[in-house]
Amino acid sequence: MNPAPASAALALGDDALVLSHRLGEWAGHAPVLEEELALANIALDLLGQARVLLSLVGDEDELAYLREERAFRNLQLVEQPRGDFAHTIARQLYFSSYQRLLYEELAQGDTAIAELASKAVKEVDYHRDHAEHWTLRLGDGTAESHQRMQQALDALWRYTGEALEPIEGLAVDWATLRARWTDRITTVLRQATLTLPNGPQSGAWAAGGGRQGVHTEPFGRMLAEMQHLHRSHPGATW
């Protein structure tokens, strides 16, 4: 691939890889067994996307396990710690809504990324529906679930702006994508009796940070955990 599409594949692949790992952290900790299986399935979907995207750039294992923190190009949104269940659902709502709109548009092209997007868009439909279902359930549930969901939405809002910034090499109408994303999130939150956060969607230090290799503190700890086994046994086969 030429440099621009390769950098785009790396960014999207890193998004999927990192979020897959974060969702995998719910194994054994989800509130109910059904939800543990659902989160595991979403994580596996994202891992499959990551493998395809990273293989367009180079060796998928080397890219996942041997790069340093500053070489990753994922959004800061996806690297945020698991938090409570509402925190995870808020992150999923923000990200899957963005990914669904992005893949829908990318699927109309004729590149290797477009081929992946056209196959993955149905998976992402499920991811978004799952997040919306739980947002409605938590927002319009008990007083405590409503409060926790609103707090999670507010806490993660500052990381959403980066997802709506252009990615080099992707022919996407980013202004339209941003408007459609905002409309979708606003509609879901209104139905869930929740409020769209009114703060900035990025801080001065965070604007575009993840795409430039600048990550938040929790990411380094997550990366060390994810890469530990591979780095401990270089060249091992299973």
Side-chain angles (χ1 to χ4, degrees):
M1 300 179 72
N2 64 51
S7 65
L10 187 65
L12 299 182
D14 284 349
D15 285 345
L17 175 68
V18 172
L19 185 54
S20 173
H21 187 83
R22 280 304 193 199
L23 290 175
E25 293 174 345
W26 276 104
H29 299 283
V32 293
L33 179 59
E34 182 181 8
E35 191 56 25
E36 184 161 319
L37 294 174
L39 292 174
N41 281 329
I42 294 173
L44 288 173
D45 288 343
L46 290 167
L47 184 60
Q49 295 171 22
R51 293 190 63 188
V52 173
L53 288 161
L54 294 180
S55 69
L56 297 176
V57 183
D59 182 277
E60 60 188 78
D61 287 336
E62 290 186 6
L63 289 169
Y65 298 124
L66 297 180
R67 275 184 296 160
E68 299 297 331
E69 179 179 332
R70 289 298 298 268
F72 279 79
R73 295 293 181 263
N74 59 277
L75 299 168
Q76 291 180 352
L77 173 65
V78 300
E79 70 193 36
Q80 297 310 301
R82 183 185 75 196
D84 65 10
F85 187 65
H87 193 100
T88 289
I89 293 303
R91 183 180 57 194
Q92 279 302 114
L93 176 69
Y94 288 151
F95 180 77
S96 61
S97 298
Y98 150 77
Q99 194 184 41
R100 175 61 178 80
L101 293 169
L102 178 63
Y103 276 14
E104 179 183 14
E105 191 156 348
L106 292 179
Q108 299 173 20
D110 58 358
T111 66
I113 294 179
E115 184 178 351
L116 175 278
S118 65
K119 294 179 179 178
V121 73
K122 292 182 179 180
E123 293 177 347
V124 180
D125 252 338
Y126 165 72
H127 302 173
R128 186 178 65 179
D129 287 346
H130 175 268
E132 290 181 354
H133 165 79
W134 273 106
T135 299
L136 295 170
R137 188 170 176 180
L138 295 174
D140 198 24
T142 65
E144 182 178 0
S145 71
H146 177 94
Q147 179 184 20
R148 288 195 179 198
M149 193 65 209
Q150 188 65 61
Q151 288 174 340
L153 292 163
D154 293 344
L156 291 173
W157 182 250
R158 61 176 171 157
Y159 298 108
T160 58
E162 184 183 9
L164 306 171
E165 293 295 324
I167 299 174
E168 183 183 6
L170 296 185
V172 173
D173 183 345
W174 292 97
T176 299
L177 188 147
R178 176 185 286 271
R180 293 180 65 196
W181 181 89
T182 303
D183 287 345
R184 183 84 182 198
I185 297 298
T186 301
T187 298
V188 173
L189 296 189
R190 185 183 299 117
Q191 292 173 351
T193 70
L194 294 162
T195 304
L196 188 75
N198 58 12
Q201 286 185 272
S202 64
W205 65 273
R211 295 291 190 229
Q212 300 169 18
V214 179
H215 298 283
T216 55
E217 183 179 352
F219 181 63
R221 296 192 293 271
M222 190 217 80
L223 195 63
E225 178 184 84
M226 188 178 80
Q227 295 182 338
H228 174 72
L229 183 63
H230 188 91
R231 288 177 178 265
S232 297
H233 303 279
T237 57
W238 306 90

